Amino acid sequence: MPAHLFKAVAVSQLNPRQKEAVLYIDGPCLVLAGAGSGKTSVITRKIAYLIEQCEIPARNIAALTFTNKAAREMKERASKLIKGNASKGLTVSTFHNLGLNIIRREHKSLGFKPGFSIFDSEDARSLLKELMLKDGDLDSDHLDLVQHQISNWKNDLVTPERALGMAQSQGEQTIAMIYLRYNQALRAYNAVDFDDLILIPVELFQTNPDVLTRWQRKIRYLLVDEYQDTNSSQYLLVQLIVGDRGALTVVGDDDQSIYAWRGARPENMSQLKQDYPNLRVIKLEQNYRSTSRILRVANHLIANNPHEFDKALWSEMGLGDPIRVIRCKNEEAEAERIATEIITQRLQKQYKFRDFAVLYRGNHQARLLEMKLQHHQIPYKMSGGSSFFAKTEIKDVMAYLRLIVNPDDDNAFLRVINTPRRQIGTSTLEALGGYASERQISLFAALDEVGLQSRIPEKNLERLQRFAHWINQVKRNCSGSAPVDAIREMLSDIDYEGWLHQNSNTPKAAEKRMENVFYLVESLQKSLDKSANDDEDEESRIEDAIAKLVLRDLLERQEEEDLSDQVQLMTLHASKGLEFPHVFMVGMEEDLLPHRNSIEDNNIEEERRLTYVGITRAQRTLSMTLAGKRKQFGEMSETTPSRFLDELPPDDVEWEGFGEQSPEKNIAKGEETLTNLLNLFD
């Protein structure tokens, strides 16, 4: 297709700024994309343009984002735009998935055995706990603090040695020592944690120019979505891959940076200007989601934050209704008001339940809302429920799979050894653990050693060795031509279904849990089918498929969409990237939004960005509520309205319950509501 023809077709539905962002390839490009400005269209069309017009093969293009769901959607949309098989080989993945692929390909130069394990936060936590208790350095009450600090160090590319050198107090020194031992233990287990998936590739690229050159040749053009959410190590990974070629497009919005607590650095966007002086900045300011009034309120609020890049969202979707700020007597009245508003609006205007979303700062605010919605028989869905991979049965089967791939995975070994029961007691496992520690080998490897006979009674040892022999047999079966059949056979051998029936409240619950297991096995089969054409041997394919499942577990934590007719309840953080016709933002009070911790840490700017994210989720109407009194520490206390309410433009806001209105107006409003309700039954 001639260039001019492609341009006409591919960008015909785009506005001038979006077109500019798609067609600019002469250097690094920052697309400053406001909420609802069509950034996914820009990324997907740019991918199509690079493949079809610039003739860069799809296998040499990578697009990175932060969730599996976003990556899936992006890949699907890009593939639809690209003719025939030209999109084959295109990488659209999360940062962590790319990191996993790099470590898998380069495992030899990194000193890993094939089939290394990925520790999730629970695995990492139990390893840290074990180390801390063993050495008696710190009370395990400090576990969260230690885990968080180690994660921060890894995200900031701080090695254990450097952390020790930087330590300014006894406490910091102790945590740095735990970090050192924790990393050593991971290596001994042939394992990496979640943060390592970025850190290790960065360190590899910094120290091995040949490997870096190979990956730079592989990824000739890089696109990054949600750039404002990158941390230090992710920024460096991007920089290393791109090198001095400048073949880079990043898309982000510094006003929607709300993950500082996870290490995100919105300043990475201004850093780009310094690192790439020829950076082209393109602003997407036209919003396709919300009314002008909602955008005016959002722009007015966020203008109180300092800005490296100025932008103002606008829309052609009409002025729309004023924003309502409703003050209720107490938190119960607030929850009741939201429930009755939803019922009234649904009856009056024929809205669906799924048209409403209720957003809050912290999950604890949902309890009262849930009670009221249940009372009024309003169906609802809470985002952030239990993940598929957090279910006990899935964790059990995943532990078996991890052990098959990497017998040195002690966490997996301990989870499955008595699931189902094999009459192996805790004293036997303690003796095995003690012996393995002395010999500095894994629990599984210790079962092969003659010296173990002197530590464990013959009968108990026989049970352990029988288990080891069986695992080895399953491993051999999995390396054949039908690994998934071997896994099904393994589940039948241990009668896992019978075990679930013994350990579930009802037969129906047991069946449902077994269905989850079958779904997992099918996912594994699908993953293998996808990689059938790869030039890897059977064994590494099954290892790869299991590694991907583990990673999906870490990243996904159930991102499936539920399209049934339910009111959506979620935190402001969880709402990012979503949109709803009618939004309620609850708890607009000091200490809630902005949160007390942010006030104390002087981090009001991030809380303002979080409020901005909440406002820009609304398409048609936005209501903000607050309670005059709220229970704190078991007592009812007076609240203070959020400072952010003072930052809203007065002409666009209707205030209710603040006492400014005349009694006549209040009576008239009450009569109007009553009349409307009565009319419904005429």
Side-chain angles (χ1 to χ4, degrees):
M1 188 190 293
H4 69 277
L5 209 57
F6 173 87
K7 289 180 189 181
V9 173
V11 299
S12 57
Q13 294 126 343
L14 302 182
N15 67 41
R17 293 284 76 76
Q18 289 174 322
K19 279 181 198 169
E20 184 188 353
V22 168
L23 301 176
Y24 182 76
I25 56 158
D26 295 335
C29 177
L30 164 61
V31 181
L32 204 64
S37 63
K39 66 180 175 73
T40 309
S41 291
V42 167
I43 295 174
T44 51
R45 282 168 201 274
K46 188 149 193 173
I47 292 170
Y49 180 61
L50 290 164
I51 294 170
E52 295 198 333
Q53 228 25 66
C54 307
E55 295 182 347
I56 300 177
R59 65 176 181 276
N60 296 132
I61 298 171
L64 300 179
T65 186
F66 282 86
T67 67
N68 282 325
K69 184 176 160 214
R72 261 195 318 269
E73 282 174 5
M74 203 181 288
K75 193 158 191 176
E76 278 165 20
R77 284 175 64 173
S79 301
K80 280 177 188 165
L81 292 168
I82 300 161
K83 306 245 175 338
N85 292 325
S87 65
K88 198 168 169 25
L90 172 69
T91 298
V92 182
S93 77
T94 61
F95 271 95
H96 292 91
N97 244 320
L98 176 68
L100 173 68
N101 285 338
I102 295 169
I103 298 172
R104 274 194 61 76
R105 294 272 173 88
E106 310 295 341
H107 71 268
K108 282 183 183 154
S109 47
L110 286 164
F112 286 105
K113 292 184 280 211
F116 56 86
S117 298
I118 305 170
F119 273 33
D120 67 10
S121 63
E122 202 178 300
D123 296 329
R125 194 179 165 82
S126 51
L127 174 58
L128 280 168
K129 191 172 180 179
E130 190 188 315
L131 291 170
M132 286 160 70
L133 287 173
K134 192 161 79 182
D135 296 329
D137 287 333
L138 274 178
D139 195 317
S140 58
D141 291 349
H142 296 107
L143 194 55
D144 285 340
L145 169 78
V146 171
Q147 193 170 9
H148 186 65
Q149 182 57 64
I150 291 174
S151 178
N152 282 351
W153 275 329
K154 287 194 175 190
N155 288 334
D156 289 336
L157 304 160
V158 175
T159 61
E161 293 75 16
R162 198 163 141 231
L164 272 166
M166 287 163 39
Q168 299 211 331
S169 65
Q170 184 62 47
E172 283 178 16
Q173 201 172 357
T174 304
I175 298 173
M177 279 305 299
I178 295 168
Y179 176 23
L180 182 68
R181 285 198 292 273
Y182 168 71
N183 261 13
Q184 288 166 344
L186 281 176
R187 277 287 170 155
Y189 291 160
N190 193 35
V192 295
D193 67 16
F194 198 55
D195 299 313
D196 284 334
L197 294 175
I198 310 291
L199 173 67
I200 291 173
V202 167
E203 289 181 337
L204 174 67
F205 288 166
Q206 286 175 324
T207 55
N208 197 322
D210 293 346
V211 173
L212 176 60
T213 306
R214 191 159 63 243
W215 280 90
Q216 286 177 338
R217 279 200 206 107
K218 180 174 163 52
I219 301 174
R220 283 171 50 194
Y221 201 100
L222 186 63
L223 302 99
V224 185
D225 190 18
E226 305 285 5
Y227 197 72
Q228 74 284 344
D229 294 338
T230 53
N231 58 33
S232 303
S233 53
Q234 288 159 341
Y235 182 90
L236 202 51
L237 183 66
V238 168
Q239 213 181 10
L240 286 160
I241 291 171
V242 172
D244 50 15
R245 296 168 299 174
L248 170 72
T249 294
V250 306
V251 182
D253 180 4
D254 47 348
D255 289 333
Q256 294 189 70
S257 180
I258 55 174
Y259 295 115
W261 49 279
R262 258 184 1 205
R265 290 165 50 89
E267 53 269 37
N268 282 352
M269 293 181 77
S270 39
Q271 186 68 36
L272 269 175
K273 270 175 75 175
Q274 294 169 32
D275 292 339
Y276 300 98
N278 61 332
L279 181 74
R280 170 78 70 95
V281 179
I282 300 168
K283 297 177 186 179
L284 305 186
E285 295 173 298
Q286 184 173 355
N287 171 288
Y288 295 93
R289 175 185 297 157
S290 311
T291 64
S292 296
R293 188 103 66 171
I294 290 168
L295 297 179
R296 220 154 57 195
V297 167
N299 289 336
H300 206 274
L301 174 87
I302 205 69
N304 291 280
N305 270 5
H307 281 86
E308 178 79 27
F309 308 99
D310 287 320
K311 65 173 186 314
L313 295 180
W314 59 277
S315 142
E316 290 177 344
M317 297 181 70
L319 183 61
D321 295 346
I323 302 332
R324 297 191 306 155
V325 178
I326 305 165
R327 185 175 184 270
C328 305
K329 192 168 107 184
N330 51 38
E331 55 193 333
E332 190 162 336
E334 180 187 43
E336 178 71 32
R337 175 66 185 264
I338 288 163
T340 53
E341 281 271 341
I342 291 171
I343 290 170
T344 308
Q345 289 189 37
R346 187 170 174 269
L347 288 169
Q348 281 181 5
K349 297 176 182 168
Q350 306 301 295
Y351 296 150
K352 300 271 194 300
F353 283 124
R354 65 170 173 264
D355 294 337
F356 296 94
V358 186
L359 312 180
Y360 35 80
R361 180 64 178 82
N363 275 311
H364 65 280
Q365 292 168 262
R367 289 181 210 129
L368 204 50
L369 279 164
E370 279 193 88
M371 301 284 283
K372 290 293 178 191
L373 294 176
Q374 283 174 1
H375 176 73
H376 289 281
Q377 295 180 325
I378 298 170
Y380 66 90
K381 175 179 183 270
M382 265 190 83
S383 288
S386 141
S387 130
F388 176 72
F389 285 91
K391 298 179 190 300
T392 307
E393 61 275 17
I394 299 301
K395 293 192 88 144
D396 287 346
V397 178
M398 286 298 292
Y400 271 106
L401 296 180
R402 283 166 47 185
L403 192 64
I404 291 162
V405 168
N406 175 16
D408 295 332
D409 190 332
D410 283 358
N411 277 28
F413 178 93
L414 290 169
R415 183 168 189 106
V416 303
I417 190 70
N418 272 321
T419 308
R421 296 263 178 265
R422 293 188 176 87
Q423 296 177 295
I424 296 165
T426 50
S427 54
T428 301
L429 289 173
E430 276 172 23
L432 174 65
Y435 180 81
S437 291
E438 282 168 33
R439 299 276 296 126
Q440 293 193 316
I441 53 176
S442 69
L443 299 172
F444 194 86
L447 298 179
D448 256 353
E449 299 225 339
V450 177
L452 197 58
Q453 294 171 3
S454 61
R455 303 288 186 90
I456 293 173
E458 190 181 347
K459 201 169 155 189
N460 299 353
L461 185 58
E462 193 190 320
R463 286 183 190 129
L464 281 169
Q465 286 173 338
R466 202 182 312 140
F467 170 75
H469 176 73
W470 175 75
I471 285 283
N472 283 327
Q473 187 55 53
V474 173
K475 191 174 170 67
R476 279 193 293 277
N477 296 348
C478 282
S479 59
S481 58
V484 176
D485 289 347
I487 288 162
R488 288 194 183 102
E489 193 183 322
M490 172 192 84
L491 291 169
S492 166
D493 280 355
I494 60 176
D495 187 18
Y496 191 70
E497 192 163 1
W499 165 255
L500 286 179
H501 276 277
Q502 284 171 27
N503 290 277
S504 301
N505 295 331
T506 62
K508 198 167 173 140
E511 282 161 25
K512 200 163 170 33
R513 291 174 71 187
M514 199 63 205
E515 272 172 32
N516 290 335
V517 171
F518 290 142
Y519 180 79
L520 180 78
V521 175
E522 278 162 32
S523 298
L524 199 56
Q525 184 67 65
K526 281 179 190 162
S527 189
L528 280 174
D529 293 345
K530 272 187 194 164
S531 64
N533 301 325
D534 293 355
D535 51 359
E536 288 186 88
D537 60 43
E538 292 289 346
E539 195 169 347
S540 41
R541 276 181 51 222
I542 186 77
E543 286 172 355
D544 197 23
I546 292 168
K548 280 187 174 143
L549 269 183
V550 174
L551 190 62
R552 193 191 311 169
D553 158 16
L554 298 184
L555 286 168
E556 210 152 87
R557 306 294 184 192
Q558 214 161 13
E559 292 168 347
E560 291 97 17
E561 298 243 309
D562 187 345
L563 297 174
S564 53
D565 194 21
Q566 297 171 311
V567 174
Q568 305 292 309
L569 302 185
M570 65 186 73
T571 63
L572 285 158
H573 281 100
S575 75
K576 189 164 169 287
L578 304 175
E579 55 186 39
F580 310 94
H582 311 285
V583 168
F584 291 93
M585 288 174 65
V586 305
M588 294 297 298
E589 302 145 32
E590 290 288 299
D591 290 345
L592 268 181
L593 189 65
H595 195 275
R596 182 188 296 119
N597 295 350
S598 300
I599 298 171
E600 287 168 2
D601 297 342
N602 200 20
N603 196 9
I604 299 298
E605 286 170 20
E606 175 131 342
E607 294 290 294
R608 191 174 283 110
R609 290 196 289 268
L610 192 55
T611 309
Y612 174 84
V613 165
I615 294 170
T616 53
R617 298 313 93 198
Q619 294 169 298
R620 298 284 165 270
T621 69
L622 172 67
S623 306
M624 296 177 163
T625 65
L626 63 153
K629 288 186 174 179
R630 195 175 289 278
K631 195 172 262 185
Q632 287 178 315
F633 312 113
E635 284 183 25
M636 274 297 194
S637 316
E638 296 275 347
T639 66
T640 306
S642 168
R643 67 190 72 188
F644 300 144
L645 295 174
D646 295 331
E647 296 174 3
L648 306 181
D651 295 348
D652 294 301
V653 180
E654 276 185 0
W655 304 86
E656 192 181 319
F658 286 82
E660 285 99 344
Q661 283 191 344
S662 66
E664 292 82 7
K665 271 193 179 172
N666 284 334
I667 291 165
K669 197 165 175 66
E671 282 176 356
E672 185 194 347
T673 305
L674 189 60
T675 308
N676 285 337
L677 282 170
L678 290 171
N679 288 340
L680 292 169
F681 301 103
D682 283 353

